[in-house]
Amino acid sequence: MNSKLLLPIALGASLMFSISVEAKMMNGEKLAKEQVFTYRLLDDIKSFDPQINTAVQGAELMRDLFEGLMNEDIKGKLIPGAATGFTLSDDKLTYTFTLRDAKWSNGEAVTAKDFVYAWRRLVDPKTASEYAWYMELMGVKNASKVVKGEVTPDQLGVRAVDDKTFEVTIDNALPYFASMTVHGSTFPVLQSVVEKHGTDWTKPGNMVGNGAYVLTDYRPGEKVVRERNPLYWDNENTIVDKTVALIINDDNQALTRYLAGEVDKTEIPAGQYPRLLKQYPKQAYSYPRSCSYIYWFNIGEKGPKSLKDVRVRKALSYAINREIITDRILQGGQYQSFNFAHQKTAGFQLPKIDYAGWTQKERDAKAVALLAEAGYGPDNPLSLTLNYNTSETHKKIAIGVSQFWKKTLGVKLTLANNEWKIHTTKQQNGDYEVSRYAWCGDYNEASTYLDLLTSYSGHNVSGYSSKEYDRLMVESKTMKNPNANYAKAEALLAEAMPFAPIYQYTGVIMLKTNLRGWPVDNLMQNWYSRALYLVEE
Amino acid sequence: MPGLTPKYGTKYMLIRKNSLQSLADTMSEPEIRGRSLWADARKRFIHNKAAVAGLAVLILVSVFASFGGWLAQYPNDEIDFMVIGQVAELGGPSFANGHYFGTDDLGRDLFARVVQGTQISLMVGIVGAAIAVVAGTLYGAIAGYVGGQVDNVMMRIVDMLMAIPYMFVIILLLVMFGRSISMLFVGIGLLSWLDMSRIVRGQTLSLKNKEFIEAAQATGVSSINIILRHILPNLLGVVAVYATLLVPLMILTESFISFLGLGVQEPNTSWGALISEGAGTMQYGTLWQLAFPLFFFVITLFSFFFIGDGLRDALDPKDR
Amino acid sequence: MLNFIIKRLFFAVPTILVLIVFSFLLMHMAPGGPFTSERALPPEILANLEAKYGLDQPLHRQILIYLKNVVLHFDFGPSFSYKDRTVNEILSQGFPITLTYGSIAFVFAVLSGVSLGVLAAIYHNSLLDYLAVGITIGAQVLPNFVMAPILVLIFTLFLGWLPGGGWEYDDPKYIIMPVVALATSFMASIARITRSSMLEVMNANHIRTTRAKGLPTRYIILHHALKPALLPVLSYLGPTFVSMITGSVVIDMFFSTGGMGLHFVNAALNRDYSVMMGITILVGVLTILFSLVVDILYAWIDPKIRY
């Protein structure tokens, strides 16, 4: 989306790191002798394979162990990665990336063939990647056909023009295509290594990557260690020598271990941010993060009759006291939400949504009136079931909402807590009335959210279907500035209310005071160990 | 099964087969059967201080569960909007604002929630134990009484079931049919009838050849009637002791299931759920959220243990 | 005796088979599959995944294939959620860890439990006895998901003596808290059984006789009372040992040991069929094995028992 993508890499690097190795100084601060960064990992890593990984926390590792065509800087701006830049054909359908001289951790040169191999591998039915859809989302030519098995993977619209030139052909113009190459599933892998070791190729010792770090130790359920890759092209500007991820399932336990000095970074449990901020003002952080939390209303076939009435849906949404949820329950600086896309999404202009501007009192009054109009009241109370999946935070919000609806509207709400797989299955089968959901952006652009509500989206579980909405979204793909359309689309959603927006995320973390370079300004939270450094305290 | 039953062993401790066996033997000796046995037992039980204290505590806890709701100033699901968000500062136990036990993390009245959690936990314990006892007794009595190949097959089945990791079945049941109190009953009840069936079977086998049973058979009483009228009453002592000691096991199991997040649905709660919530926030200055439910949990389990031990000693007066 | 062992081992085969089929069916009846995720997978991708993992076969064929692989190749298949790893790898990595801390905790629980029980029995109805009973019941009813975080708060945060989690085979610092948290409730159970069975034995006729003969109490306990008193403890130890060495979800979760205990719950929740099956089979086999071991020990200690 940003037109200034073709920053020469030398400039980019020197801007980022004005470091003099001898003096061990960085931006005027003395570097710590021991450059080891330790952070908390919520769950064990499911896969170290870039094309297989589906988890956000897995992606953090991928970005250290491998390097895709483009990277993000500390502000989330697109900068060159394995490619020094790209050119776009006039029809906006062919991207030509120029690769820099870089080496794999076994000394082989990184070539365009490696990208071709990895991209084909992602969609190959034999790989059976759960993220094969990502390449379909990117619109790479023939991606869908390859996934379906209709054509062979070599028909995918990617090509190694020569060792240093990688060419991609896409079906439709996509303004944010380049920023999608920051995603881990597009990272290159080395064919010879994958074929030699099979699924074992990701084991420490076997794995060969082109990232700034190599995987040196993995103890399942306990920790993951990655260490500096001396062959990385920008090794001399890399400061952290070793990054250790400690797997700690329990939030409170993680905080205890942070306070005991065992980790340098951890998430703050819900509700604890204000207290920690008071106690450790230089360590507690809250910053926007690209995820949005909503309650779906089922207006599809299997949904209840009551929810088919837009007045009921509006009443329910209005009656949610979002201020209580963000300021009293979550307490981590989260944003009250009246729309879908995260309000800090790049270029996104929040449309004027009427009820966002009202006071809660006004909303409540309006909600009562709307529900009465729809025929529900003390004699004929509305009964609904709210599904949420097992989690302390989801539970608290659900309890809060049940109280708002009960007090204001007299709604009899049954809470149904299910474990994750059941929750998801029910939601995707349209087998619910009201259901919790959260969507995190894949890239920093509002369509990553708004595409969900199109009638042709596989993720639209509400049953919402609007020709006008579909038209706006299709049109946005080829527009120079699609944000006008996004605003219109959001306005449509506020009118139809296929879901109640609840809140928009913040990252709420504890960071050791001597750690620098954490990308608090990057909405996508794409962090790289090589951009971090520790200073002497 | 991998640690899913942290208290797995409890069953073996509680239902000490040897002493139960000896109790069962005592109970089926004709000369001490009948009224005098129970009268003696009562006397012995009353002299056991720990058991009587346990009974008293249990009665108090039951009263708390039944009538505590009347004292609560708030319903168990109502959020106190004055408190939510500042629970550590404002949510402590206080008579002034009516939150006798303070509030939970969402500002809901902990007193009301503990009352309601006590109801659920006691119910799970008692109904679960009842299911286990009824199933185990019937199964064991039938196997023992019918005997022969039927007995053989029935007992082989029990042996097989003993090798199954039970918590696995419970988790799957809760996962498959959604979580509900009735599913908890069934799952937990299923957990514990196997030992009972073995003891009852052995007992039935020895009773079967006693004269009074043979007399009943000779006069043409049906098998079902013999089991119900003659065999089961003679097992009452064993069953009573077993049931009393099974209840705390059920409560412990429920607390573990709640810890896994598979317990009862909100706004309902249980001791396990309250304790696990309280344990999560204990370092954040809201210790009362752990202390109150844990207190009731611990004293109740203590009581059941003491009563169970007392009952067994009372019914089986071998010098202990 | 040999006959008995052979018969038991022979009987174990159908038991394990039933266990496998039963778990397999239950597992597949649960809603949602291993590939159910936040983002509904397009049908073609789901089809590819199911083909890769053999889930497109009819259920009875899946069971047969599974059995064949397990029996012939000792291959428990690939994990559905840890896609780079096989079940064999997961078990061979996690089981040694739980086996280590479980065995240590077992020894600790048995030694301390038996000593506490014997002491309480000897000083029956004294203050020591009451104290022991109180402590053991207390230890038994305190859930370890409460105890584990308390241990970490005390020994990691406040005192800074022990690491709050992690695992090193050769560093006792990492092993202490898992062992204590795991052993406590078992120790309490063992103490209670020992105490009551010891009391029973001490009052039995032959012990009374030896006492009347004026032999020293210590001698009587060690040579006459202890052995019969430990028989009931022994029958408790079989299942206890299995449940301890296969780990605990609470321990693995709070202390990040990387053990096997956590895998079971996670596998159930993630519908990781193969990991679930692998653990079930492992635990089933161990359970059968150790109940056999206990029976053999029983016969050895108490020659009156005949099989």
Side-chain angles (χ1 to χ4, degrees), chain A residues 6 34 84 142 144 147 152 164 182 194 198 205 240 263 277 291 307 319 330 335 374 422 458 469 489 509:
Chain A
L6 306 176
E34 210 188 32
T84 51
N142 283 338
S144 297
V147 172
T152 50
K164 293 288 161 212
V182 171
V194 175
V240 167
V263 290
L277 185 65
C291 298
L307 289 180
L330 302 166
Y335 302 87
I422 295 189
Y469 189 92
I509 60 170

Side-chain angles (χ1 to χ4, degrees), chain C residues 114-229:
Chain C
V114 168
S115 323
L116 201 61
V118 169
L119 278 181
I122 296 172
Y123 300 100
H124 187 38
N125 285 336
S126 72
L127 191 65
L128 186 77
D129 184 24
Y130 296 140
L131 204 67
V133 170
I135 290 174
T136 51
I137 299 186
Q140 211 163 4
V141 301
L142 184 68
N144 54 5
F145 57 83
V146 177
M147 189 167 162
I150 291 180
L151 284 177
V152 175
L153 277 181
I154 295 175
F155 292 102
T156 305
L157 187 58
F158 298 140
L159 298 175
W161 291 350
L162 299 171
W167 183 258
E168 298 293 339
Y169 279 104
D170 50 7
D171 189 347
K173 274 189 180 166
Y174 291 87
I175 303 179
I176 293 175
M177 285 200 287
V179 163
V180 170
L182 182 62
T184 311
S185 71
F186 291 108
M187 181 271 288
S189 308
I190 294 170
R192 295 200 70 208
I193 306 173
T194 311
R195 172 179 172 274
S196 102
S197 131
M198 193 74 190
L199 284 177
E200 215 164 307
V201 173
M202 296 280 280
N203 284 315
N205 288 336
H206 72 281
I207 302 285
R208 286 186 174 176
T209 318
T210 43
R211 272 190 164 175
K213 276 196 260 169
L215 289 169
T217 317
R218 178 195 302 262
Y219 180 86
I220 297 173
I221 289 167
L222 285 180
H223 287 85
H224 295 278
L226 201 54
K227 208 165 107 176

Side-chain angles (χ1 to χ4, degrees), chain B residues 14 20 28 53 65 68 75 81 92 97-98 110 137 151 159-160 180 187 194 209 228 244 267 285 302:
Chain B
L14 295 174
L20 263 197
S28 58
F81 288 102
N97 64 8
L110 197 61
T137 308
D151 174 37
D159 285 346
M160 267 190 196
S180 64
L194 296 172
N209 300 320
L228 290 179
T244 322
F302 261 80

Side-chain angles (χ1 to χ4, degrees), chain A residues 46-86:
Chain A
K46 297 288 197 297
S47 172
F48 290 94
D49 187 324
Q51 273 81 50
I52 299 292
N53 170 60
T54 58
V56 173
Q57 292 202 311
E60 295 172 348
L61 264 118
M62 298 307 142
R63 284 192 293 272
D64 276 359
L65 301 173
F66 299 89
E67 184 163 59
L69 295 167
M70 305 302 279
N71 286 340
E72 277 178 12
D73 71 3
I74 190 167
K75 302 269 185 203
K77 214 175 69 196
L78 207 59
I79 54 167
T84 51
F86 62 86

Side-chain angles (χ1 to χ4, degrees), chain A residues 244-396:
Chain A
V244 182
L246 294 184
I247 299 159
I248 310 172
N249 293 126
D250 186 79
D251 277 350
N252 302 307
Q253 201 69 359
L255 183 61
T256 306
R257 291 179 66 180
Y258 171 87
L259 295 175
E262 293 189 9
V263 290
D264 301 325
K265 181 232 156 195
T266 190
E267 288 75 25
I268 294 176
Q272 295 305 318
Y273 175 68
R275 184 181 68 86
L276 289 167
L277 185 65
K278 208 181 285 169
Q279 217 171 338
Y280 309 97
K282 287 186 178 156
Q283 301 179 47
Y285 288 85
S286 163
Y287 47 80
R289 187 176 150 220
S290 181
C291 298
S292 186
Y293 193 101
I294 61 170
Y295 277 174
W296 285 119
F297 295 130
N298 191 347
I299 52 181
E301 281 167 45
K302 296 186 202 160
K305 215 178 108 230
S306 53
L307 289 180
K308 299 223 160 52
D309 187 334
V310 67
R311 290 171 298 189
V312 173
R313 302 199 296 271
K314 278 189 167 170
L316 291 172
S317 177
Y318 292 172
I320 296 171
N321 188 335
R322 292 166 178 83
E323 192 185 340
I324 297 267
I325 292 175
T326 56
D327 294 4
R328 304 282 203 95
I329 295 180
L330 302 166
Q331 304 187 62
Q334 287 84 355
Y335 302 87
Q336 300 180 38
S337 178
F338 302 93
N339 69 312
F340 190 29
H342 197 289
Q343 51 192 284
K344 300 287 179 186
T345 305
F348 180 62
Q349 289 134 5
L350 207 57
K352 220 180 139 43
I353 289 168
D354 51 5
Y355 73 106
W358 306 344
T359 65
Q360 189 57 40
K361 227 180 196 158
E362 289 167 343
R363 281 183 213 130
D364 285 350
K366 189 82 178 164
V368 172
L370 278 170
L371 201 66
E373 230 177 86
Y376 296 95
D379 319 325
N380 180 24
L382 179 60
S383 296
L384 288 170
T385 301
L386 165 63
N387 293 359
Y388 64 98
N389 58 296
T390 310
S391 137
E392 202 55 33
T393 312
H394 302 332
K395 185 175 87 184
K396 285 181 178 168

Side-chain angles (χ1 to χ4, degrees), chain B residues 1-4 7 9 12-13 16 156 164 168 175-176 256 259 275 282 297 301-302 305 309 319-320, chain C residues 19 30 137 140-142 145-146 150 185 189 192 196 200 203 236 246-247 249 264-265 271 276 279 283:
Chain B
M1 153 225 25
L4 277 179
K7 311 286 176 182
Y12 296 85
M13 189 272 341
R16 276 172 247 150
R156 287 308 91 169
I164 293 179
F168 158 65
V175 157
M176 267 165 27
F256 182 65
F259 163 74
I275 290 171
M282 66 184 158
F297 180 81
L301 295 196
F302 261 80
F305 280 129
D309 284 352
D319 332 273
R320 222 182 297 257
Chain C
L19 182 63
I137 299 186
Q140 211 163 4
V141 301
L142 184 68
F145 57 83
V146 177
I150 291 180
S185 71
S189 308
R192 295 200 70 208
S196 102
E200 215 164 307
N203 284 315
Y236 168 71
T246 47
V249 54
F264 187 84
V265 179
R271 308 289 188 275
M276 182 103 213
I279 295 180
V283 176

Side-chain angles (χ1 to χ4, degrees), chain A residues 393-527:
Chain A
T393 312
H394 302 332
K395 185 175 87 184
K396 285 181 178 168
I397 293 173
I399 291 165
V401 169
S402 79
Q403 284 292 302
F404 303 143
W405 287 354
K406 184 176 164 186
K407 294 258 151 150
T408 317
L409 304 174
V411 173
K412 286 185 183 159
L413 190 70
T414 308
L415 297 178
N417 168 8
N418 287 305
E419 43 105 3
W420 175 237
K421 293 277 179 178
I422 295 189
H423 177 77
T424 315
T425 307
K426 286 190 169 171
Q427 197 171 65
Q428 288 169 4
N429 293 340
D431 194 5
Y432 69 92
E433 295 181 351
V434 184
S435 185
R436 181 211 79 85
Y437 192 67
W439 180 263
C440 291
D442 287 315
Y443 44 91
N444 195 358
E445 217 260 1
S447 66
T448 189
Y449 290 94
L450 298 173
D451 279 341
L452 239 74
L453 271 298
T454 55
S455 59
Y456 48 84
S457 158
H459 303 304
N460 181 356
V461 296
S462 70
Y464 172 71
S465 165
S466 153
K467 286 212 174 76
E468 174 63 6
Y469 189 92
D470 291 355
R471 192 193 62 76
L472 284 170
M473 291 314 295
V474 169
E475 193 183 72
S476 74
K477 300 288 172 213
T478 50
M479 287 166 78
K480 195 157 195 153
N481 180 10
N483 283 305
N485 271 27
Y486 298 156
K488 283 183 205 155
E490 286 277 15
L492 283 181
L493 292 181
E495 267 319 299
M497 207 73 83
F499 57 82
I502 311 274
Y503 77 93
Q504 293 163 14
Y505 282 49
T506 49
V508 193
I509 60 170
M510 294 292 279
L511 268 189
K512 277 281 146 70
T513 46
N514 64 336
L515 185 76
R516 300 285 180 274
W518 192 265
V520 288
D521 296 326
N522 181 345
L523 188 69
M524 306 306 295
Q525 276 302 291
N526 290 336
W527 62 272

Side-chain angles (χ1 to χ4, degrees), chain B residues 142-292:
Chain B
I142 290 170
Y145 185 79
V146 178
Q149 272 316 90
V150 177
D151 174 37
N152 208 2
V153 170
M154 284 177 85
M155 282 300 116
R156 287 308 91 169
I157 292 176
V158 169
D159 285 346
M160 267 190 196
L161 293 179
M162 285 233 161
I164 293 179
Y166 272 94
M167 199 50 84
F168 158 65
V169 179
I170 292 189
I171 288 177
L172 280 184
L173 283 176
L174 292 170
V175 157
M176 267 165 27
F177 301 107
R179 57 205 63 184
S180 64
I181 300 180
S182 47
M183 214 58 237
L184 261 181
F185 289 158
V186 174
I188 292 185
L190 280 176
L191 193 82
S192 309
W193 63 276
L194 296 172
D195 277 328
M196 189 69 213
S197 73
R198 279 187 170 173
I199 295 164
V200 167
R201 169 187 167 267
Q203 210 36 49
T204 312
L205 277 180
S206 66
L207 276 176
K208 201 163 79 171
N209 300 320
K210 295 263 154 66
E211 284 142 22
F212 69 100
I213 303 287
E214 282 172 2
Q217 283 169 330
T219 52
V221 182
S222 72
S223 300
I224 285 293
N225 266 334
I226 292 180
I227 293 178
L228 290 179
R229 294 265 176 81
H230 298 284
I231 306 246
L232 288 189
N234 281 295
L235 297 171
L236 210 58
V238 194
V239 170
V241 173
Y242 187 90
T244 322
L245 293 175
L246 209 49
V247 175
L249 171 71
M250 300 294 163
I251 294 176
L252 282 167
T253 310
E254 191 282 331
S255 74
F256 182 65
I257 289 172
S258 289
F259 163 74
L260 291 180
L262 292 166
V264 290
Q265 291 284 7
E266 286 284 344
N268 287 332
T269 189
S270 69
W271 282 337
L274 289 167
I275 290 171
S276 125
E277 280 168 24
T281 57
M282 66 184 158
Q283 72 246 56
Y284 306 140
T286 54
L287 205 56
W288 64 86
Q289 293 174 354
L290 175 62
F292 287 105

